[in-house]
Amino acid sequence: MKGRDPMELDEEFMPEIYTLEDEEGNSLTFELLDTLELDDERYFALMPYFESAEEMIDDDGELVILKEEIVDGESMMASIDDDEEYDRVGAIMLERISKLFDDEDEEEE
C-alpha cells in the first residue's frame, strides 16, 4: 500500500487566508469561514488568523462580516455601513457557522 506524500496537502483542509488593510492602513490577516449570497449581494464571514496558538488564545475571536463591492471592475471586501443590514447578515452567518461546527462535532462522535 502506497502512502500519501505529506507535502500534498488536501485543498479541502487548507484555509482561505486574506490580508486586508483597515481604514488606518494596518494590514490584518483573516481566515474566510463562509460566504453568503443574499439579495444580489455577496457577504464574507472572517475570523482573525494567527500563526501561533498563543496569539489565537489572546484574541477575542470576533467574527468580521464584510460585503463585496466592485471598484474599478475589481471585487473588494468592504465594511457594511448600515447597522440593520449588518445585524441581519451577521445573524444569518452566525447561524450557518454554528450549524457547520455542530455538523463537524456530530461527525467526530
Side-chain angles (χ1 to χ4, degrees):
M1 179 176 202
K2 185 175 179 181
R4 215 162 104 158
D5 182 351
M7 297 306 289
E8 290 180 18
L9 297 176
D10 192 342
E11 285 187 27
E12 178 181 342
F13 299 109
M14 297 295 295
E16 282 188 57
I17 305 299
Y18 293 89
T19 300
L20 305 175
E21 190 172 297
D22 69 11
E23 293 156 353
E24 290 136 19
N26 301 312
S27 291
L28 306 167
T29 305
F30 294 92
E31 178 180 352
L32 179 66
L33 298 180
D34 196 8
T35 59
L36 173 67
E37 304 276 337
L38 181 67
D39 301 329
D40 297 323
E41 299 286 353
R42 187 170 186 205
Y43 299 93
F44 307 90
L46 305 123
M47 289 286 288
Y49 178 80
F50 301 102
E51 295 285 328
S52 73
E54 292 83 23
E55 288 177 306
M56 192 181 309
I57 291 169
D58 291 339
D59 185 64
D60 62 8
E62 184 176 336
L63 183 67
V64 176
I65 308 292
L66 299 175
K67 180 178 182 177
E68 180 179 49
E69 287 190 6
I70 306 299
V71 178
D72 296 329
E74 294 208 24
S75 175
M76 301 179 71
M77 293 181 192
S79 299
I80 301 171
D81 296 328
D82 182 279
D83 290 341
E84 183 178 311
E85 178 184 15
Y86 185 87
D87 291 342
R88 180 172 57 96
V89 173
I92 294 169
M93 287 290 206
L94 283 173
E95 182 176 320
R96 288 169 53 107
I97 292 168
S98 292
K99 183 173 178 359
L100 176 69
F101 285 108
D102 286 346
D103 289 346
E104 285 180 4
D105 290 342
E106 289 175 10
E107 288 176 13
E108 290 177 6
E109 291 175 3

Short mmCIF file of all heavy atoms in Angstrom, two decimals, residues 23 36 38 41-46 63-69 76-91 93:
data_model
loop_
_atom_site.label_atom_id
_atom_site.label_comp_id
_atom_site.label_asym_id
_atom_site.label_seq_id
_atom_site.Cartn_x
_atom_site.Cartn_y
_atom_site.Cartn_z
N GLU A 23 -8.99 50.85 7.78
CA GLU A 23 -9.11 52.27 7.42
C GLU A 23 -7.89 53.09 7.84
O GLU A 23 -7.67 54.18 7.32
CB GLU A 23 -10.38 52.84 8.05
CG GLU A 23 -11.62 52.22 7.44
CD GLU A 23 -12.84 52.28 8.33
OE1 GLU A 23 -12.72 52.68 9.51
OE2 GLU A 23 -13.92 51.91 7.85
N LEU A 36 -21.86 34.23 1.68
CA LEU A 36 -23.32 34.21 1.61
C LEU A 36 -23.76 35.12 0.47
O LEU A 36 -23.31 36.26 0.38
CB LEU A 36 -23.90 34.71 2.94
CG LEU A 36 -25.41 34.93 3.00
CD1 LEU A 36 -26.16 33.60 2.90
CD2 LEU A 36 -25.78 35.64 4.30
N LEU A 38 -27.00 36.98 -0.82
CA LEU A 38 -28.29 37.39 -0.27
C LEU A 38 -28.72 38.69 -0.93
O LEU A 38 -27.95 39.66 -0.93
CB LEU A 38 -28.17 37.57 1.25
CG LEU A 38 -29.41 37.97 2.01
CD1 LEU A 38 -30.44 36.83 1.98
CD2 LEU A 38 -29.06 38.31 3.45
N GLU A 41 -26.39 40.43 -3.25
CA GLU A 41 -25.15 40.91 -2.62
C GLU A 41 -24.36 39.69 -2.17
O GLU A 41 -24.92 38.62 -1.91
CB GLU A 41 -25.45 41.80 -1.41
CG GLU A 41 -26.24 43.05 -1.71
CD GLU A 41 -25.44 44.13 -2.42
OE1 GLU A 41 -24.20 43.99 -2.56
OE2 GLU A 41 -26.05 45.12 -2.84
N ARG A 42 -23.05 39.85 -2.03
CA ARG A 42 -22.19 38.78 -1.54
C ARG A 42 -21.51 39.25 -0.26
O ARG A 42 -20.95 40.35 -0.21
CB ARG A 42 -21.13 38.43 -2.58
CG ARG A 42 -20.32 37.23 -2.20
CD ARG A 42 -19.48 36.79 -3.38
NE ARG A 42 -18.82 35.55 -3.02
CZ ARG A 42 -17.70 35.15 -3.55
NH1 ARG A 42 -17.11 35.86 -4.48
NH2 ARG A 42 -17.14 34.02 -3.17
N TYR A 43 -21.58 38.39 0.77
CA TYR A 43 -21.02 38.71 2.08
C TYR A 43 -19.98 37.66 2.47
O TYR A 43 -20.06 36.51 2.04
CB TYR A 43 -22.14 38.75 3.13
CG TYR A 43 -23.18 39.80 2.84
CD1 TYR A 43 -24.33 39.48 2.13
CD2 TYR A 43 -23.01 41.11 3.27
CE1 TYR A 43 -25.30 40.44 1.86
CE2 TYR A 43 -23.97 42.07 3.00
CZ TYR A 43 -25.11 41.73 2.29
OH TYR A 43 -26.05 42.70 2.03
N PHE A 44 -19.05 38.08 3.34
CA PHE A 44 -17.97 37.22 3.78
C PHE A 44 -17.91 37.21 5.30
O PHE A 44 -17.97 38.27 5.93
CB PHE A 44 -16.62 37.74 3.26
CG PHE A 44 -16.60 37.97 1.78
CD1 PHE A 44 -16.95 39.20 1.23
CD2 PHE A 44 -16.22 36.94 0.92
CE1 PHE A 44 -16.93 39.41 -0.13
CE2 PHE A 44 -16.20 37.15 -0.45
CZ PHE A 44 -16.55 38.38 -0.98
N ALA A 45 -17.79 36.03 5.89
CA ALA A 45 -17.58 35.89 7.33
C ALA A 45 -16.12 35.49 7.54
O ALA A 45 -15.66 34.49 6.98
CB ALA A 45 -18.50 34.82 7.92
N LEU A 46 -15.40 36.31 8.30
CA LEU A 46 -13.97 36.08 8.52
C LEU A 46 -13.65 36.11 10.00
O LEU A 46 -14.34 36.74 10.78
CB LEU A 46 -13.16 37.18 7.82
CG LEU A 46 -13.44 37.35 6.33
CD1 LEU A 46 -13.86 38.76 6.04
CD2 LEU A 46 -12.21 37.01 5.54
N LEU A 63 -16.01 37.71 15.12
CA LEU A 63 -16.37 37.43 13.74
C LEU A 63 -16.48 38.76 12.99
O LEU A 63 -17.06 39.72 13.49
CB LEU A 63 -17.72 36.70 13.70
CG LEU A 63 -18.23 36.28 12.34
CD1 LEU A 63 -17.33 35.20 11.75
CD2 LEU A 63 -19.65 35.76 12.45
N VAL A 64 -15.90 38.81 11.80
CA VAL A 64 -15.94 40.02 10.98
C VAL A 64 -16.79 39.72 9.75
O VAL A 64 -16.57 38.71 9.07
CB VAL A 64 -14.51 40.44 10.55
CG1 VAL A 64 -14.55 41.63 9.61
CG2 VAL A 64 -13.66 40.73 11.78
N ILE A 65 -17.77 40.56 9.49
CA ILE A 65 -18.65 40.41 8.33
C ILE A 65 -18.35 41.56 7.37
O ILE A 65 -18.44 42.73 7.75
CB ILE A 65 -20.14 40.45 8.72
CG1 ILE A 65 -20.47 39.46 9.83
CG2 ILE A 65 -21.02 40.22 7.48
CD1 ILE A 65 -20.36 38.02 9.46
N LEU A 66 -18.00 41.22 6.14
CA LEU A 66 -17.73 42.23 5.12
C LEU A 66 -18.60 41.97 3.90
O LEU A 66 -19.14 40.88 3.72
CB LEU A 66 -16.25 42.21 4.72
CG LEU A 66 -15.25 42.51 5.83
CD1 LEU A 66 -13.83 42.33 5.33
CD2 LEU A 66 -15.45 43.90 6.39
N LYS A 67 -18.72 42.98 3.07
CA LYS A 67 -19.58 42.93 1.90
C LYS A 67 -18.73 43.14 0.65
O LYS A 67 -17.77 43.91 0.67
CB LYS A 67 -20.60 44.06 2.02
CG LYS A 67 -21.59 44.19 0.92
CD LYS A 67 -22.53 45.34 1.26
CE LYS A 67 -23.60 45.52 0.23
NZ LYS A 67 -24.54 46.58 0.62
N GLU A 68 -19.09 42.47 -0.42
CA GLU A 68 -18.37 42.66 -1.68
C GLU A 68 -18.78 43.97 -2.32
O GLU A 68 -19.97 44.30 -2.40
CB GLU A 68 -18.68 41.51 -2.65
CG GLU A 68 -17.96 41.65 -3.97
CD GLU A 68 -18.25 40.52 -4.91
OE1 GLU A 68 -19.44 40.19 -5.09
OE2 GLU A 68 -17.29 39.95 -5.45
N GLU A 69 -17.79 44.72 -2.75
CA GLU A 69 -18.02 45.94 -3.53
C GLU A 69 -17.14 45.84 -4.77
O GLU A 69 -16.02 45.35 -4.71
CB GLU A 69 -17.66 47.18 -2.74
CG GLU A 69 -18.65 47.51 -1.65
CD GLU A 69 -18.43 48.87 -1.02
OE1 GLU A 69 -17.56 49.63 -1.50
OE2 GLU A 69 -19.13 49.16 -0.05
N MET A 76 -13.83 43.78 -4.15
CA MET A 76 -13.15 44.11 -2.90
C MET A 76 -14.07 43.79 -1.73
O MET A 76 -15.29 43.77 -1.88
CB MET A 76 -12.81 45.60 -2.87
CG MET A 76 -11.92 46.05 -4.01
SD MET A 76 -11.59 47.80 -3.93
CE MET A 76 -10.51 47.86 -2.53
N MET A 77 -13.49 43.54 -0.56
CA MET A 77 -14.26 43.36 0.66
C MET A 77 -14.31 44.70 1.38
O MET A 77 -13.28 45.35 1.55
CB MET A 77 -13.60 42.33 1.57
CG MET A 77 -13.62 40.94 1.03
SD MET A 77 -12.83 39.80 2.20
CE MET A 77 -12.66 38.35 1.19
N ALA A 78 -15.52 45.10 1.79
CA ALA A 78 -15.69 46.40 2.43
C ALA A 78 -16.60 46.27 3.65
O ALA A 78 -17.40 45.33 3.76
CB ALA A 78 -16.29 47.40 1.44
N SER A 79 -16.50 47.23 4.54
CA SER A 79 -17.34 47.27 5.73
C SER A 79 -18.80 47.48 5.33
O SER A 79 -19.10 48.09 4.31
CB SER A 79 -16.93 48.43 6.65
OG SER A 79 -15.61 48.26 7.08
N ILE A 80 -19.69 46.99 6.18
CA ILE A 80 -21.12 47.20 5.99
C ILE A 80 -21.50 48.39 6.88
O ILE A 80 -21.42 48.30 8.10
CB ILE A 80 -21.93 45.95 6.39
CG1 ILE A 80 -21.50 44.75 5.56
CG2 ILE A 80 -23.43 46.22 6.23
CD1 ILE A 80 -22.08 43.44 6.00
N ASP A 81 -21.90 49.49 6.25
CA ASP A 81 -22.19 50.71 7.00
C ASP A 81 -23.58 50.73 7.62
O ASP A 81 -23.80 51.39 8.63
CB ASP A 81 -22.01 51.93 6.09
CG ASP A 81 -20.56 52.08 5.64
OD1 ASP A 81 -19.65 51.72 6.41
OD2 ASP A 81 -20.34 52.56 4.51
N ASP A 82 -24.52 50.02 7.03
CA ASP A 82 -25.90 50.01 7.51
C ASP A 82 -26.03 49.01 8.66
O ASP A 82 -25.83 47.81 8.47
CB ASP A 82 -26.83 49.63 6.35
CG ASP A 82 -28.28 49.62 6.74
OD1 ASP A 82 -28.72 48.61 7.34
OD2 ASP A 82 -28.97 50.62 6.46
N ASP A 83 -26.36 49.51 9.87
CA ASP A 83 -26.45 48.64 11.06
C ASP A 83 -27.49 47.54 10.90
O ASP A 83 -27.26 46.40 11.32
CB ASP A 83 -26.77 49.48 12.31
CG ASP A 83 -25.61 50.35 12.74
OD1 ASP A 83 -24.46 50.07 12.33
OD2 ASP A 83 -25.85 51.33 13.48
N GLU A 84 -28.63 47.86 10.30
CA GLU A 84 -29.69 46.86 10.13
C GLU A 84 -29.22 45.73 9.20
O GLU A 84 -29.42 44.55 9.47
CB GLU A 84 -30.95 47.53 9.57
CG GLU A 84 -32.12 46.57 9.44
CD GLU A 84 -33.36 47.28 8.93
OE1 GLU A 84 -33.71 48.35 9.47
OE2 GLU A 84 -33.98 46.74 7.99
N GLU A 85 -28.57 46.12 8.10
CA GLU A 85 -28.03 45.13 7.16
C GLU A 85 -26.97 44.27 7.85
O GLU A 85 -26.97 43.04 7.72
CB GLU A 85 -27.43 45.84 5.95
CG GLU A 85 -26.80 44.92 4.94
CD GLU A 85 -26.12 45.68 3.80
OE1 GLU A 85 -25.89 46.90 3.91
OE2 GLU A 85 -25.81 45.02 2.79
N TYR A 86 -26.08 44.90 8.62
CA TYR A 86 -25.02 44.18 9.32
C TYR A 86 -25.61 43.18 10.31
O TYR A 86 -25.19 42.02 10.36
CB TYR A 86 -24.09 45.16 10.04
CG TYR A 86 -22.91 44.47 10.67
CD1 TYR A 86 -21.75 44.25 9.95
CD2 TYR A 86 -22.96 44.02 11.99
CE1 TYR A 86 -20.66 43.60 10.51
CE2 TYR A 86 -21.88 43.37 12.56
CZ TYR A 86 -20.73 43.17 11.82
OH TYR A 86 -19.67 42.51 12.39
N ASP A 87 -26.60 43.62 11.09
CA ASP A 87 -27.22 42.73 12.08
C ASP A 87 -27.93 41.56 11.41
O ASP A 87 -27.82 40.41 11.87
CB ASP A 87 -28.22 43.51 12.95
CG ASP A 87 -27.54 44.50 13.88
OD1 ASP A 87 -26.31 44.37 14.11
OD2 ASP A 87 -28.23 45.41 14.37
N ARG A 88 -28.64 41.82 10.31
CA ARG A 88 -29.37 40.77 9.61
C ARG A 88 -28.41 39.74 9.02
O ARG A 88 -28.56 38.54 9.23
CB ARG A 88 -30.23 41.41 8.50
CG ARG A 88 -31.05 40.43 7.69
CD ARG A 88 -32.00 41.17 6.75
NE ARG A 88 -31.31 42.08 5.86
CZ ARG A 88 -30.93 41.78 4.60
NH1 ARG A 88 -31.19 40.59 4.12
NH2 ARG A 88 -30.33 42.67 3.86
N VAL A 89 -27.39 40.21 8.32
CA VAL A 89 -26.41 39.30 7.70
C VAL A 89 -25.59 38.59 8.77
O VAL A 89 -25.34 37.39 8.67
CB VAL A 89 -25.50 40.07 6.72
CG1 VAL A 89 -24.38 39.18 6.21
CG2 VAL A 89 -26.32 40.63 5.56
N GLY A 90 -25.22 39.31 9.82
CA GLY A 90 -24.45 38.71 10.91
C GLY A 90 -25.19 37.56 11.57
O GLY A 90 -24.61 36.51 11.86
N ALA A 91 -26.49 37.74 11.80
CA ALA A 91 -27.29 36.69 12.43
C ALA A 91 -27.35 35.45 11.54
O ALA A 91 -27.23 34.31 12.02
CB ALA A 91 -28.70 37.20 12.72
N MET A 93 -25.12 34.58 9.24
CA MET A 93 -23.78 33.98 9.21
C MET A 93 -23.51 33.19 10.49
O MET A 93 -22.97 32.08 10.43
CB MET A 93 -22.71 35.06 9.03
CG MET A 93 -22.65 35.64 7.64
SD MET A 93 -22.01 34.45 6.46
CE MET A 93 -21.36 35.56 5.23
#
